[in-house]
Amino acid sequence: MSKKKAPAFQFYPGDWLGSQRVTLMSLEEEGAYIRLLSYCWQHGSIPREPEKIARLIGKGASITLAQSVATMFQPPLDNGSTVGDVLVHDRLQAQRDEYNAWLEKSRKGGKASAEARRRNRVECEPPLQPPLQANGNTTSSSTSSIEIERERTPSLEEVLAFAQNLGLAAWRAEDWWNEMESVSWLDHRGRPVHKWQNSLARVRTNWVAMGSPMQPISYSKTQKDSKTERRSKYEF
């Protein structure tokens, strides 16, 4: 796995000000040390040669200054022996290793979490409904589904009781219930009506907008036009 470079290392002022080695530095050495720590974190190491270290410090740093501050770094170890032509910092290296371990743990945890969500989604998905048979009827499992959905529909008594609490005329509530029965409790998009109380509340809103008639309105239109107008009122 490729290691993502951490943008910053932890800097604790208490540790810095309490370090005897830092306290014994001159102000110039302390500033150079901060710059080299930053380079070491960015690139993983700093050059071993004092001349290159002086150029990294910049601002006219001398070779003597570079040699002095370089003592704060160590050559990397391989099987207990120093190797390479670079220097590393033990505290920064420990932070880098800890960060990479955290990244790996997070990657594995994220992967496991994604797999758990995928399994849960698959287990929760309802089975596919079988296709319609030639006679237009579904199989027994589909029929059972419809029967279960049908059992959730309210009775006329429930609708009338709820309408009374809403202040909706009983005739209007019964008219709505009969209409919903005739369409198998499906809305105008063919979806089952689950929250019938919300639909009945909208019926009351339209009923109030019509002047809250206490009995059915007589229509002078033809039977065909009357059915068309009535149906349009229930396309919520």
Side-chain angles (χ1 to χ4, degrees), residues 84-215:
D85 56 353
V86 295
L87 298 175
V88 296
H89 194 276
D90 53 358
R91 182 161 181 164
L92 293 187
Q93 193 60 41
Q95 286 193 30
R96 195 186 309 277
D97 293 342
E98 182 180 350
Y99 177 77
N100 289 333
W102 174 81
L103 276 183
E104 179 65 15
K105 182 179 179 180
S106 298
R107 185 190 69 83
K108 291 180 178 179
K111 187 175 181 180
S113 178
E115 178 63 20
R117 289 196 301 270
R118 186 192 67 79
R119 288 198 304 266
N120 184 62
R121 185 168 59 250
V122 171
E123 291 172 0
C124 293
E125 285 179 353
L128 294 175
Q129 295 292 341
L132 292 174
Q133 297 177 348
N135 60 2
N137 297 325
T138 58
T139 61
S140 59
S141 61
S142 180
T143 302
S144 299
S145 225
I146 293 176
E147 289 175 353
I148 292 174
E149 193 67 48
R150 184 68 176 85
E151 291 173 358
R152 297 174 184 167
T153 60
S155 64
L156 177 57
E157 289 73 20
E158 289 177 302
V159 169
L160 291 177
F162 188 73
Q164 184 176 7
N165 291 334
L166 288 177
L168 176 64
W171 73 266
R172 188 65 183 87
E174 183 175 356
D175 191 36
W176 175 79
W177 184 85
N178 289 328
E179 178 68 12
M180 297 307 297
E181 282 284 294
S182 69
V183 296
S184 301
W185 290 88
L186 300 177
D187 64 15
H188 65 285
R189 296 183 180 179
R191 300 171 302 186
V193 175
H194 296 293
K195 298 181 180 180
W196 61 269
Q197 295 92 337
N198 292 352
S199 296
L200 191 58
R202 295 188 64 181
V203 170
R204 179 188 178 279
T205 300
N206 292 340
W207 173 73
V208 171
M210 294 172 61
S212 304
M214 299 308 298
Q215 58 184 2

Side-chain angles (χ1 to χ4, degrees), residues 22 30 32 34 38 45 59 70 111 122 126 134 187 207-208 222 229:
V22 172
E30 190 172 346
I34 281 287
S38 300
S45 63
K59 303 185 183 299
K111 187 175 181 180
V122 171
D187 64 15
W207 173 73
V208 171
T222 63
E229 184 172 346

Side-chain angles (χ1 to χ4, degrees), residues 29-48:
E29 289 172 335
E30 190 172 346
Y33 185 32
I34 281 287
R35 288 180 65 84
L36 290 179
L37 283 176
S38 300
Y39 278 116
C40 188
W41 182 258
Q42 279 294 107
H43 305 285
S45 63
I46 61 173
R48 196 167 186 172

Side-chain angles (χ1 to χ4, degrees), residues 8-65:
F9 61 89
Q10 295 174 332
F11 181 87
Y12 297 97
D15 291 349
W16 180 266
L17 297 176
S19 170
Q20 183 177 353
R21 295 196 303 173
V22 172
T23 302
L24 292 175
M25 288 181 174
S26 67
L27 189 60
E28 183 182 26
E29 289 172 335
E30 190 172 346
Y33 185 32
I34 281 287
R35 288 180 65 84
L36 290 179
L37 283 176
S38 300
Y39 278 116
C40 188
W41 182 258
Q42 279 294 107
H43 305 285
S45 63
I46 61 173
R48 196 167 186 172
E49 297 86 347
E51 294 80 4
K52 293 183 178 179
I53 293 177
R55 287 199 292 269
L56 277 183
I57 296 173
K59 303 185 183 299
S62 65
I63 301 297
T64 303
L65 175 63

